[in-house]
Each structure stands twice: as C-alpha cells, then as structure tokens.
Coordinates of all heavy atoms in Angstrom, one line a residue:
M104 N 79.4 214.1 92.5 CA 79.4 215.4 93.2 C 78.7 216.4 92.2 O 77.8 217.1 92.6 CB 80.8 215.9 93.4 CG 81.0 217.0 94.4 SD 80.2 216.5 96.1 CE 80.6 218.1 97.0
A105 N 79.2 216.4 91.0 CA 78.6 217.4 90.0 C 77.1 217.0 89.8 O 76.3 217.9 89.6 CB 79.4 217.4 88.7
K106 N 76.9 215.7 89.8 CA 75.5 215.2 89.5 C 74.5 215.7 90.6 O 73.5 216.3 90.4 CB 75.5 213.7 89.5 CG 75.0 213.2 88.1 CD 74.8 211.7 88.1 CE 74.5 211.3 86.7 NZ 74.4 209.8 86.7
S107 N 74.9 215.6 91.9 CA 74.0 216.0 93.0 C 73.9 217.5 93.0 O 72.8 218.1 93.3 CB 74.5 215.5 94.3 OG 75.6 216.3 94.8
N108 N 74.9 218.3 92.6 CA 74.7 219.7 92.5 C 73.7 220.1 91.4 O 73.0 221.0 91.6 CB 76.1 220.4 92.1 CG 76.9 220.7 93.4 OD1 76.4 220.6 94.5 ND2 78.2 220.9 93.1
N109 N 73.7 219.3 90.3 CA 72.7 219.5 89.3 C 71.4 219.3 89.8 O 70.4 220.1 89.4 CB 73.0 218.6 88.1 CG 73.7 219.3 87.0 OD1 73.8 220.5 87.0 ND2 74.2 218.5 86.0
K110 N 71.2 218.2 90.5 CA 69.9 217.9 91.1 C 69.4 219.1 91.9 O 68.2 219.5 91.9 CB 69.9 216.6 91.8 CG 69.6 215.4 91.0 CD 69.4 214.2 91.9 CE 69.2 212.9 91.0 NZ 69.5 211.7 91.8
I111 N 70.3 219.6 92.8 CA 69.8 220.6 93.7 C 69.5 221.9 92.9 O 68.5 222.5 93.1 CB 71.0 221.0 94.7 CG1 71.1 219.8 95.7 CG2 70.7 222.3 95.4 CD1 72.4 219.9 96.5
A112 N 70.3 222.2 91.8 CA 70.0 223.3 91.0 C 68.6 223.1 90.3 O 67.8 224.1 90.2 CB 71.1 223.5 90.0
M113 N 68.3 222.0 89.8 CA 67.1 221.7 89.2 C 65.9 221.9 90.1 O 64.9 222.5 89.8 CB 67.0 220.2 88.6 CG 67.6 220.2 87.1 SD 67.8 218.5 86.6 CE 66.1 217.9 86.7
L114 N 66.1 221.3 91.3 CA 65.1 221.5 92.4 C 64.8 222.9 92.7 O 63.7 223.4 92.8 CB 65.5 220.7 93.5 CG 64.4 220.3 94.5 CD1 63.5 219.2 93.9 CD2 65.0 219.9 95.9
T115 N 65.9 223.7 92.8 CA 65.8 225.2 93.1 C 65.0 225.9 92.0 O 64.1 226.6 92.2 CB 67.1 225.8 93.2 OG1 67.9 225.0 94.2 CG2 67.0 227.2 93.8
N116 N 65.4 225.5 90.7 CA 64.7 226.1 89.6 C 63.2 225.7 89.6 O 62.3 226.6 89.4 CB 65.2 225.6 88.3 CG 66.4 226.4 87.8 OD1 66.7 227.5 88.4 ND2 67.2 225.8 86.9
F117 N 62.9 224.5 89.9 CA 61.5 224.0 90.0 C 60.7 224.8 91.0 O 59.6 225.3 90.8 CB 61.5 222.5 90.3 CG 60.1 222.0 90.4 CD1 59.4 221.8 89.2 CD2 59.6 221.6 91.6 CE1 58.1 221.3 89.3 CE2 58.3 221.0 91.7 CZ 57.6 220.9 90.6
V118 N 61.4 224.9 92.2 CA 60.7 225.7 93.3 C 60.5 227.1 92.9 O 59.4 227.7 93.1 CB 61.5 225.6 94.6 CG1 61.0 226.6 95.6 CG2 61.5 224.2 95.2
L119 N 61.4 227.7 92.2 CA 61.2 229.2 91.8 C 60.1 229.3 90.8 O 59.3 230.2 90.9 CB 62.6 229.6 91.1 CG 63.7 230.1 92.1 CD1 64.9 230.5 91.4 CD2 63.2 231.2 93.0
I120 N 60.0 228.3 89.9 CA 59.0 228.4 88.8 C 57.6 228.2 89.5 O 56.7 229.0 89.2 CB 59.2 227.3 87.7 CG1 60.4 227.7 86.9 CG2 58.0 227.1 86.9 CD1 61.0 226.6 86.0
V121 N 57.5 227.3 90.4 CA 56.2 227.1 91.1 C 55.8 228.3 91.8 O 54.7 228.8 91.8 CB 56.3 225.9 92.0 CG1 55.0 225.8 92.9 CG2 56.4 224.6 91.2
A122 N 56.8 228.9 92.6 CA 56.5 230.1 93.3 C 56.1 231.2 92.4 O 55.1 232.0 92.7 CB 57.8 230.5 94.1
L123 N 56.7 231.4 91.3 CA 56.4 232.4 90.3 C 54.9 232.2 89.8 O 54.1 233.2 89.7 CB 57.4 232.4 89.1 CG 57.5 233.6 88.4 CD1 58.3 234.7 89.2 CD2 58.3 233.4 87.0
L124 N 54.6 231.0 89.5 CA 53.2 230.7 89.0 C 52.2 231.1 90.0 O 51.2 231.6 89.7 CB 53.1 229.2 88.7 CG 53.8 228.8 87.3 CD1 53.7 227.3 87.1 CD2 53.2 229.5 86.1
V125 N 52.5 230.7 91.3 CA 51.6 231.0 92.4 C 51.4 232.5 92.5 O 50.3 233.0 92.6 CB 52.1 230.4 93.7 CG1 51.3 230.9 94.8 CG2 52.0 228.9 93.7
I126 N 52.5 233.2 92.5 CA 52.4 234.7 92.6 C 51.6 235.3 91.4 O 50.7 236.1 91.6 CB 53.8 235.4 92.6 CG1 54.5 235.0 93.9 CG2 53.8 236.8 92.4 CD1 55.9 235.2 93.9
V127 N 51.8 234.8 90.2 CA 51.1 235.4 89.0 C 49.7 235.0 89.1 O 48.8 235.9 88.9 CB 51.8 234.7 87.7 CG1 50.8 235.0 86.5 CG2 53.1 235.3 87.4
S128 N 49.3 233.8 89.5 CA 47.9 233.5 89.5 C 47.2 234.2 90.7 O 46.0 234.6 90.5 CB 47.7 232.0 89.7 OG 48.2 231.5 91.0
M129 N 47.9 234.5 91.8 CA 47.3 235.3 92.9 C 47.0 236.7 92.4 O 46.0 237.3 92.6 CB 48.2 235.4 94.1 CG 48.0 234.2 95.0 SD 49.3 234.1 96.2 CE 49.2 235.7 97.1
A130 N 48.0 237.3 91.6 CA 47.8 238.6 91.2 C 46.7 238.7 90.2 O 45.9 239.6 90.2 CB 49.1 239.1 90.5
E131 N 46.5 237.7 89.3 CA 45.5 237.7 88.3 C 44.1 237.6 89.0 O 43.2 238.3 88.7 CB 45.7 236.5 87.4 CG 46.2 236.9 86.1 CD 46.5 235.7 85.2 OE1 46.0 234.6 85.4 OE2 47.4 235.9 84.3
S132 N 44.0 236.7 90.0 CA 42.7 236.5 90.6 C 42.3 237.8 91.4 O 41.1 238.2 91.4 CB 42.7 235.3 91.6 OG 43.5 235.5 92.7
R133 N 43.3 238.5 92.0 CA 43.0 239.8 92.6 C 42.5 240.8 91.6 O 41.6 241.6 91.9 CB 44.3 240.3 93.3 CG 43.9 241.3 94.4 CD 45.3 241.7 95.2 NE 46.0 240.5 95.6 CZ 47.3 240.5 95.7 NH1 48.0 241.7 95.5 NH2 48.0 239.5 96.1
E134 N 43.1 240.8 90.4 CA 42.8 241.8 89.4 C 41.2 241.5 89.0 O 40.5 242.4 88.9 CB 43.6 241.6 88.2 CG 44.2 243.0 87.7 CD 45.3 242.7 86.8 OE1 45.1 242.3 85.6 OE2 46.5 243.0 87.2
I135 N 40.9 240.2 88.8 CA 39.6 239.9 88.4 C 38.6 240.3 89.5 O 37.6 240.8 89.2 CB 39.5 238.3 88.2 CG1 40.3 238.0 86.9 CG2 38.0 237.9 88.1 CD1 40.5 236.5 86.7
G136 N 39.0 240.1 90.8 CA 38.1 240.5 91.9 C 37.9 242.0 91.9 O 36.8 242.4 92.1
I137 N 38.9 242.8 91.6 CA 38.8 244.3 91.5 C 37.8 244.6 90.4 O 36.9 245.4 90.6 CB 40.1 244.9 91.4 CG1 40.9 244.8 92.6 CG2 39.9 246.4 91.0 CD1 42.4 245.1 92.5
L138 N 38.0 243.9 89.2 CA 37.1 244.3 88.1 C 35.7 243.9 88.4 O 34.8 244.7 88.1 CB 37.6 243.5 86.8 CG 38.8 244.1 86.1 CD1 39.2 243.1 85.0 CD2 38.5 245.5 85.6
K139 N 35.5 242.8 89.0 CA 34.1 242.4 89.3 C 33.5 243.4 90.3 O 32.4 243.8 90.2 CB 34.1 241.0 90.0 CG 34.0 239.9 89.0 CD 33.8 238.6 89.6 CE 33.8 237.4 88.6 NZ 34.0 236.1 89.3
G140 N 34.3 243.8 91.3 CA 33.8 244.8 92.2 C 33.3 246.1 91.5 O 32.3 246.7 91.9
K141 N 34.1 246.5 90.6 CA 33.8 247.8 89.9 C 32.5 247.5 89.1 O 31.7 248.5 88.9 CB 35.0 248.2 89.0 CG 36.0 249.1 89.7 CD 37.0 249.5 88.7 CE 38.1 250.3 89.5 NZ 39.3 250.4 88.7
Q142 N 32.4 246.4 88.5 CA 31.3 246.2 87.5 C 30.0 246.1 88.2 O 29.0 246.8 87.8 CB 31.5 244.9 86.8 CG 32.4 245.1 85.5 CD 32.8 243.8 84.9 OE1 32.5 242.7 85.4 NE2 33.5 243.9 83.8
S143 N 29.9 245.3 89.3 CA 28.6 245.1 89.9 C 28.4 245.7 91.3 O 27.7 246.7 91.5 CB 28.3 243.5 89.9 OG 29.2 242.9 90.6
A144 N 29.0 245.1 92.3 CA 28.6 245.4 93.7 C 29.0 246.8 94.0 O 30.2 247.2 93.9 CB 29.3 244.4 94.6
P145 N 28.0 247.6 94.4 CA 28.3 248.9 94.9 C 28.9 248.8 96.3 O 28.7 247.8 97.0 CB 27.0 249.6 95.0 CG 26.0 248.6 95.0 CD 26.6 247.4 94.4
S146 N 29.6 249.8 96.8 CA 30.2 249.6 98.1 C 29.2 250.0 99.2 O 28.5 251.0 99.0 CB 31.5 250.4 98.2 OG 31.2 251.8 98.4
C147 N 29.1 249.2 100.2 CA 28.2 249.5 101.3 C 28.8 249.9 102.6 O 29.7 249.1 103.0 CB 27.3 248.3 101.4 SG 25.9 248.6 102.4
D148 N 28.5 251.0 103.2 CA 29.1 251.4 104.4 C 28.3 251.0 105.7 O 28.8 251.0 106.7 CB 29.3 252.9 104.4 CG 30.3 253.4 103.3 OD1 31.1 252.6 102.9 OD2 30.1 254.5 102.8
K149 N 27.0 250.8 105.5 CA 26.2 250.6 106.6 C 25.1 249.6 106.2 O 24.5 249.8 105.1 CB 25.6 251.9 107.1 CG 25.7 252.1 108.6 CD 24.9 253.4 108.9 CE 25.5 254.1 110.1 NZ 24.9 255.4 110.4
V150 N 24.7 248.6 107.0 CA 23.6 247.7 106.6 C 22.6 247.7 107.8 O 22.9 248.1 108.9 CB 24.1 246.3 106.4 CG1 25.0 246.2 105.2 CG2 24.9 245.7 107.6
Y151 N 21.4 247.3 107.4 CA 20.4 247.2 108.3 C 19.7 245.8 108.2 O 19.4 245.4 107.1 CB 19.3 248.3 108.0 CG 18.0 248.2 108.7 CD1 17.9 248.4 110.1 CD2 16.9 247.7 108.1 CE1 16.7 248.2 110.8 CE2 15.7 247.5 108.7 CZ 15.6 247.8 110.1 OH 14.4 247.6 110.7
G152 N 19.5 245.2 109.3 CA 18.9 243.9 109.3 C 17.4 244.0 109.3 O 16.8 244.7 110.2
V153 N 16.7 243.4 108.3 CA 15.3 243.5 108.2 C 14.6 242.9 109.4 O 14.9 241.8 109.8 CB 14.8 242.8 106.9 CG1 13.3 242.7 106.9 CG2 15.3 243.5 105.7
A154 N 13.7 243.6 110.0 CA 12.9 243.1 111.1 C 11.4 242.7 110.6 O 11.1 243.1 109.5 CB 12.8 244.1 112.2
S155 N 10.7 242.0 111.5 CA 9.4 241.5 111.1 C 8.5 242.8 110.8 O 8.5 243.8 111.5 CB 8.8 240.8 112.3 OG 7.5 240.5 112.0
G156 N 7.9 242.7 109.6 CA 7.0 243.8 109.3 C 7.6 244.9 108.4 O 7.0 245.8 108.0
D157 N 8.9 244.9 108.3 CA 9.7 245.8 107.5 C 9.3 245.7 106.0 O 9.1 244.6 105.5 CB 11.1 245.7 107.7 CG 11.6 246.5 108.9 OD1 10.9 247.3 109.5 OD2 12.8 246.3 109.3
T158 N 9.3 246.9 105.3 CA 9.2 246.9 103.9 C 10.3 247.7 103.4 O 10.9 248.5 104.1 CB 7.8 247.4 103.4 OG1 7.8 248.8 103.9 CG2 6.7 246.7 104.0
C159 N 10.6 247.7 102.1 CA 11.6 248.5 101.5 C 11.2 250.0 101.7 O 12.1 250.8 102.1 CB 11.7 248.3 100.0 SG 12.6 246.7 99.6
F160 N 10.0 250.3 101.5 CA 9.6 251.7 101.7 C 9.7 252.1 103.1 O 10.2 253.3 103.4 CB 8.1 251.8 101.3 CG 7.6 253.2 101.4 CD1 8.0 254.2 100.5 CD2 6.6 253.5 102.3 CE1 7.6 255.5 100.6 CE2 6.1 254.9 102.4 CZ 6.6 255.8 101.6
G161 N 9.4 251.3 104.1 CA 9.5 251.6 105.5 C 11.0 251.8 105.8 O 11.3 252.7 106.7
V162 N 11.9 251.0 105.3 CA 13.3 251.2 105.6 C 13.9 252.4 105.1 O 14.6 253.2 105.7 CB 14.1 249.9 105.1 CG1 15.6 250.1 105.2 CG2 13.7 248.7 105.9
T163 N 13.4 252.8 103.8 CA 13.9 254.1 103.2 C 13.4 255.2 104.1 O 14.2 256.2 104.3 CB 13.4 254.2 101.8 OG1 12.0 254.2 101.8 CG2 14.0 253.1 100.9
Q164 N 12.2 255.1 104.6 CA 11.7 256.3 105.4 C 12.4 256.3 106.7 O 12.7 257.4 107.2 CB 10.2 256.0 105.7 CG 9.4 256.3 104.5 CD 8.0 256.8 104.8 OE1 7.3 256.2 105.7 NE2 7.5 257.9 104.2
M165 N 12.7 255.1 107.3 CA 13.4 255.1 108.6 C 14.7 255.8 108.5 O 15.2 256.4 109.5 CB 13.6 253.6 109.0 CG 13.8 253.3 110.4 SD 14.1 251.6 110.7 CE 12.9 250.7 109.7
F166 N 15.4 255.6 107.4 CA 16.8 256.2 107.3 C 16.8 257.5 106.4 O 17.9 257.9 106.0 CB 17.7 255.2 106.8 CG 17.9 254.0 107.9 CD1 17.2 252.8 107.6 CD2 18.7 254.2 109.0 CE1 17.3 251.8 108.5 CE2 18.8 253.1 109.9 CZ 18.1 251.9 109.7
N167 N 15.6 258.0 106.1 CA 15.5 259.1 105.2 C 16.3 258.9 103.9 O 17.1 259.8 103.4 CB 16.1 260.4 105.9 CG 15.1 260.9 107.0 OD1 14.0 260.5 107.0 ND2 15.6 261.7 107.8
L168 N 16.1 257.9 103.2 CA 16.8 257.6 101.9 C 15.8 257.8 100.8 O 14.6 257.6 100.9 CB 17.3 256.2 101.9 CG 18.1 255.7 103.1 CD1 18.4 254.2 103.0 CD2 19.4 256.5 103.2
T169 N 16.3 258.2 99.7 CA 15.5 258.3 98.5 C 15.4 256.9 97.9 O 16.4 256.1 98.1 CB 16.1 259.2 97.4 OG1 17.3 258.7 97.0 CG2 16.3 260.6 98.0
T170 N 14.3 256.5 97.2 CA 14.2 255.2 96.7 C 15.3 255.0 95.6 O 15.8 253.9 95.4 CB 12.8 254.9 96.1 OG1 12.5 256.1 95.3 CG2 11.8 254.7 97.2
A171 N 15.6 256.1 94.9 CA 16.7 255.9 93.9 C 18.0 255.5 94.5 O 18.7 254.6 94.0 CB 16.8 257.3 93.1
F172 N 18.3 256.2 95.6 CA 19.5 255.8 96.3 C 19.5 254.4 96.9 O 20.4 253.6 96.7 CB 19.8 256.8 97.5 CG 21.0 256.4 98.4 CD1 22.3 256.6 97.9 CD2 20.8 255.8 99.6 CE1 23.4 256.2 98.7 CE2 21.9 255.4 100.4 CZ 23.2 255.6 99.9
F173 N 18.4 254.1 97.5 CA 18.2 252.8 98.1 C 18.3 251.7 97.0 O 19.0 250.7 97.2 CB 16.8 252.7 98.7 CG 16.6 251.4 99.5 CD1 17.1 251.2 100.7 CD2 15.8 250.4 98.9 CE1 16.9 249.9 101.4 CE2 15.6 249.2 99.5 CZ 16.1 249.0 100.8
D174 N 17.7 251.9 95.9 CA 17.8 251.0 94.8 C 19.3 250.8 94.2 O 19.7 249.8 93.9 CB 16.9 251.3 93.6 CG 15.4 251.1 93.9 OD1 15.2 250.4 94.9 OD2 14.6 251.7 93.2
S175 N 20.0 252.0 94.2 CA 21.3 251.9 93.7 C 22.3 251.1 94.5 O 23.3 250.5 94.1 CB 21.8 253.3 93.4 OG 22.2 254.0 94.6
V176 N 22.1 251.2 95.9 CA 23.0 250.5 96.7 C 22.5 249.1 97.1 O 23.2 248.3 97.8 CB 23.3 251.2 98.1 CG1 24.1 252.5 97.8 CG2 22.1 251.6 98.8
N177 N 21.3 248.8 96.6 CA 20.7 247.4 96.8 C 20.3 246.8 95.5 O 19.1 246.6 95.3 CB 19.6 247.4 97.8 CG 19.9 247.8 99.2 OD1 20.5 246.9 99.9 ND2 19.7 249.0 99.6
P178 N 21.3 246.6 94.6 CA 20.9 246.1 93.3 C 20.4 244.7 93.4 O 20.8 244.0 94.3 CB 22.2 246.2 92.4 CG 23.3 246.1 93.4 CD 22.7 246.8 94.7
N179 N 19.5 244.3 92.5 CA 18.9 242.9 92.5 C 18.1 242.6 93.8 O 17.9 241.4 94.1 CB 20.1 241.9 92.4 CG 21.0 242.2 91.3 OD1 20.6 242.6 90.2 ND2 22.3 242.0 91.5
L180 N 17.7 243.6 94.5 CA 16.9 243.3 95.7 C 15.5 243.1 95.2 O 14.9 244.0 94.5 CB 17.0 244.5 96.7 CG 16.1 244.4 97.9 CD1 16.6 243.2 98.8 CD2 16.2 245.7 98.7
N181 N 14.8 242.1 95.7 CA 13.4 241.9 95.4 C 12.6 242.2 96.6 O 12.6 241.5 97.6 CB 13.2 240.4 95.0 CG 11.8 240.1 94.6 OD1 10.9 241.0 94.8 ND2 11.6 239.0 93.9
C182 N 12.0 243.4 96.6 CA 11.3 244.0 97.8 C 10.0 243.2 98.1 O 9.5 243.3 99.2 CB 11.0 245.4 97.6 SG 12.4 246.4 97.8
T183 N 9.5 242.4 97.2 CA 8.3 241.6 97.5 C 8.7 240.3 98.2 O 7.8 239.6 98.7 CB 7.5 241.2 96.2 OG1 8.4 240.5 95.4 CG2 7.1 242.5 95.5
S184 N 10.0 240.0 98.3 CA 10.4 238.8 99.1 C 11.4 239.1 100.1 O 12.4 238.5 100.2 CB 10.8 237.7 98.2 OG 11.8 238.2 97.3
L185 N 11.2 240.2 100.9 CA 12.1 240.5 102.0 C 11.9 239.5 103.1 O 10.9 239.0 103.3 CB 11.8 241.9 102.7 CG 12.2 243.2 101.9 CD1 11.9 244.3 102.8 CD2 13.7 243.1 101.6
F186 N 13.0 239.1 103.7 CA 12.9 238.2 104.9 C 13.6 238.8 106.1 O 14.5 239.5 106.0 CB 13.5 236.8 104.5 CG 14.9 236.8 104.1 CD1 15.9 236.7 105.0 CD2 15.2 236.9 102.7 CE1 17.2 236.7 104.6 CE2 16.5 236.9 102.3 CZ 17.5 236.8 103.2
V187 N 13.0 238.4 107.3 CA 13.6 238.8 108.5 C 15.1 238.5 108.7 O 15.3 237.3 108.5 CB 12.8 238.3 109.7 CG1 13.4 238.7 111.1 CG2 11.3 238.9 109.7
G188 N 15.9 239.4 108.9 CA 17.3 239.1 109.1 C 18.1 239.4 107.9 O 19.3 239.4 107.9
Q189 N 17.4 239.7 106.8 CA 18.1 240.1 105.5 C 18.9 241.4 105.7 O 18.3 242.3 106.3 CB 17.1 240.2 104.4 CG 17.6 240.5 103.0 CD 16.7 240.4 101.9 OE1 15.5 240.4 102.2 NE2 17.1 240.5 100.7
W190 N 20.0 241.5 105.1 CA 20.8 242.7 105.3 C 20.5 243.6 104.1 O 20.6 243.2 103.0 CB 22.3 242.4 105.3 CG 22.7 241.7 106.5 CD1 23.2 240.4 106.5 CD2 22.8 242.1 107.9 NE1 23.5 240.0 107.8 CE2 23.2 241.0 108.6 CE3 22.4 243.3 108.5 CZ2 23.4 241.2 110.0 CZ3 22.6 243.4 109.9 CH2 23.1 242.4 110.6
L191 N 20.1 244.9 104.4 CA 19.9 245.9 103.4 C 20.9 247.0 103.5 O 21.3 247.3 104.6 CB 18.5 246.4 103.6 CG 17.3 245.6 103.5 CD1 16.1 246.3 103.7 CD2 17.3 244.9 102.1
C192 N 21.4 247.4 102.4 CA 22.4 248.5 102.5 C 21.7 249.8 102.7 O 20.7 250.1 102.0 CB 23.2 248.5 101.2 SG 24.6 249.7 101.3
I193 N 22.1 250.6 103.7 CA 21.4 251.9 103.9 C 22.4 253.1 103.8 O 22.0 254.2 103.9 CB 20.8 251.9 105.3 CG1 21.8 251.6 106.4 CG2 19.6 251.0 105.4 CD1 21.4 252.0 107.8
A194 N 23.7 252.8 103.6 CA 24.6 253.9 103.4 C 25.8 253.3 102.5 O 26.2 252.2 102.7 CB 25.2 254.4 104.6
G195 N 26.3 254.2 101.7 CA 27.4 253.7 100.8 C 27.3 254.4 99.5 O 26.7 255.5 99.4
S196 N 28.1 253.9 98.5 CA 28.0 254.6 97.2 C 27.9 253.5 96.1 O 28.4 252.4 96.2 CB 29.3 255.3 96.9 OG 30.4 254.5 97.3
A197 N 27.2 253.9 95.1 CA 26.9 252.9 94.0 C 27.9 253.0 92.9 O 28.5 254.1 92.8 CB 25.5 253.2 93.4
Ligands
NAG230 C1 14.6 262.1 108.8 O1 14.1 263.3 108.5 C2 13.2 263.9 109.4 C3 12.5 265.1 108.9 O2 13.4 265.7 107.9 C4 13.9 264.1 110.7 O3 13.1 264.6 111.8 C5 14.6 262.8 111.2 O4 15.3 262.9 112.4 C6 15.4 262.1 110.1 N1 15.9 260.8 110.5 C7 17.1 260.4 110.3 C8 17.3 259.0 110.8 O5 18.0 261.0 109.8
NAG231 C1 10.2 238.7 93.7 O1 9.7 237.7 94.6 C2 8.4 237.3 94.3 C3 8.0 236.4 95.4 O2 8.9 235.4 95.7 C4 8.3 236.7 92.9 O3 6.9 236.4 92.6 C5 8.7 237.7 91.9 O4 8.7 237.1 90.6 C6 10.1 238.2 92.2 N1 10.5 239.3 91.3 C7 11.7 239.3 90.7 C8 11.9 240.5 89.8 O5 12.6 238.4 90.9

C-alpha cells in the first residue's frame, strides 16, 4: 500500500517537473522571439504585392513614400531583383 502510494507520488513529481520544464522553455523561446523582433524586423502595417513592371522607385511614388522610409521598413531588400508577387512593406515603423 505504502509502496504504490510512493509510486504515485513519484509519478506526480515527474509530471510536475516536466510541466515546469515545458513552461520555462516556452517562456524562454518567447523572450528570444521578442528580442529578435526588436533587433531586426521592423513592424509592417501594410504590404503591397509587386506587379509586373514595378520598381522600388515606382512603388515609393505610388504610395508617396520617401526612399529613406521605404528602405527602413524593407531592410535587406534587393531592388535589382524584385519579383512579381513579392511583398513590400509600404506602411509601418522601423
Ligand atoms: C501622393 O501625393 C500626391 C501629390 O502630393 C497626391 O495627389 C496623391 O493623391 C498622393 N497619393 C497617395 C496614395 O497618397
Ligand atoms: C541583388 O540582386 C542582383 C541580381 O540578382 C545581384 O546581382 C546583386 O548582387 C544583388 N545585390 C545584393 C546587395 O545582394
């Protein structure tokens, strides 16, 4: 009787420890995600899908954006290799 109670207690402890580990690792990965978001990706509120013939300059003119703003919300964008259907950020904050 005492033995089986012990087993149940051990099992309960084990489950609690595993649950704790899962919670901690989830919290940690969320923190890393927040940090990464702050470091690199600017937040984008509106996107525009590139159509045939579009250029970065054309898109900035279409939406009255300054190139500085456009560059800041589209980091790492290579304007010489735009492709149709590519999403460009046209509103947001860097
Ligand atoms: C962009 O600016 C021009 C002139 O200032 C204006 O006529 C046009 O409506 C604006 N377009 C947009 C999308 O805001
Ligand atoms: C942009 O794309 C063009 C064409 O694919 C390539 O030649 C050029 O090196 C790229 N530039 C950068 C900064 O990645």
Side-chain angles (χ1 to χ4, degrees):
M104 196 61 178
K106 242 185 183 179
S107 76
N108 272 347
N109 256 352
K110 264 187 189 165
I111 290 167
M113 268 169 64
L114 199 72
T115 310
N116 276 344
F117 180 73
V118 168
L119 280 177
I120 288 166
V121 169
L123 205 71
L124 284 177
V125 168
I126 290 166
V127 167
S128 66
M129 271 168 60
E131 257 173 26
S132 64
R133 201 175 309 149
E134 230 165 72
I135 289 164
I137 289 166
L138 280 178
K139 269 187 186 162
K141 269 185 187 162
Q142 276 172 353
S143 58
S146 76
C147 190
D148 297 333
K149 226 183 213 176
V150 291
Y151 168 76
V153 172
S155 173
D157 276 347
T158 60
C159 284
F160 182 67
V162 171
T163 57
Q164 285 210 314
M165 202 184 314
F166 297 100
N167 287 345
L168 308 173
T169 64
T170 47
F172 172 78
F173 184 78
D174 288 345
S175 74
V176 292
N177 293 284
N179 311 318
L180 176 67
N181 186 343
C182 282
T183 61
S184 55
L185 281 188
F186 56 89
V187 173
Q189 182 173 11
W190 295 110
L191 300 179
C192 184
I193 54 160
S196 51

